[in-house]
Amino acid sequence: MVDAGQERAVGRFRLLAALASVPAAALVLATDPPLPLALLAFAGLLIGVGWLFAFRAARRRAAGPERALVLGAHALRLELGGPPEDIPWRRMDAVELDDERLMVRIKRPGQRDLTLASPGGGLSLEDFHARMEARWQAARGA
């Protein structure tokens, strides 16, 4: 899931990099520099334009559809921009931490595994896994 606050912060840094590099490179190019310096300034200009496009992409990701992951008492609710999907805790075989992919894997009988990244917001992957596993265990034991 996209952490909109982090995307906006990264986008601001990209915009600042573009605002610094594009005018500086244009100024160097306007002074009729020697060829090696002109090539370096042209590369700086291209990099600055790239940062502008990266800034726009970060804004689009941050403004994307509202996404939510709700650990309910009886089900895990996924709201990923479409209709919400409830996955009952009792219909899960396991909630595992996938160290290789840095995701939480939910095993369901007869269905593909569901993998979820940490939702961010200061919640580490291990804490996210612990909360999901505790909710799953509580639902199984109830």
Side-chain angles (χ1 to χ4, degrees):
M1 289 191 216
V2 174
D3 186 341
Q6 287 179 344
E7 279 295 329
R8 281 191 290 273
V10 169
R12 281 192 295 270
F13 283 122
R14 289 174 176 163
L15 179 62
L16 287 173
L19 291 176
S21 63
V22 169
L27 182 64
V28 169
L29 287 172
T31 61
D32 194 27
L35 183 62
L37 188 56
L39 291 174
L40 188 62
F42 185 70
L45 190 64
L46 290 178
I47 290 169
V49 170
W51 284 123
L52 284 173
F53 282 109
F55 166 70
R56 285 186 52 212
R59 277 187 41 202
R60 273 196 307 272
R61 281 191 302 273
E66 223 20 69
R67 296 174 179 201
L69 181 68
V70 181
L71 306 180
H74 302 289
L76 169 67
R77 173 168 273 208
L78 300 173
E79 297 174 5
L80 303 175
E85 178 184 359
D86 287 336
I87 303 169
W89 296 112
R90 291 182 174 266
R91 292 201 182 138
M92 296 180 193
D93 287 340
V95 176
E96 302 171 344
L97 182 61
D98 187 343
D99 290 327
E100 289 181 18
R101 294 186 56 206
L102 298 176
M103 300 194 128
V104 172
R105 179 182 313 282
I106 298 172
K107 294 189 176 274
R108 301 179 289 172
Q111 295 181 358
R112 284 188 355 202
D113 292 352
L114 176 66
T115 55
L116 301 169
S118 176
L123 187 65
S124 72
L125 183 65
E126 291 80 10
D127 291 339
F128 176 56
H129 171 254
R131 287 182 185 186
M132 286 198 58
E133 189 172 40
R135 192 59 63 106
W136 174 64
Q137 292 288 353
R140 285 177 39 133

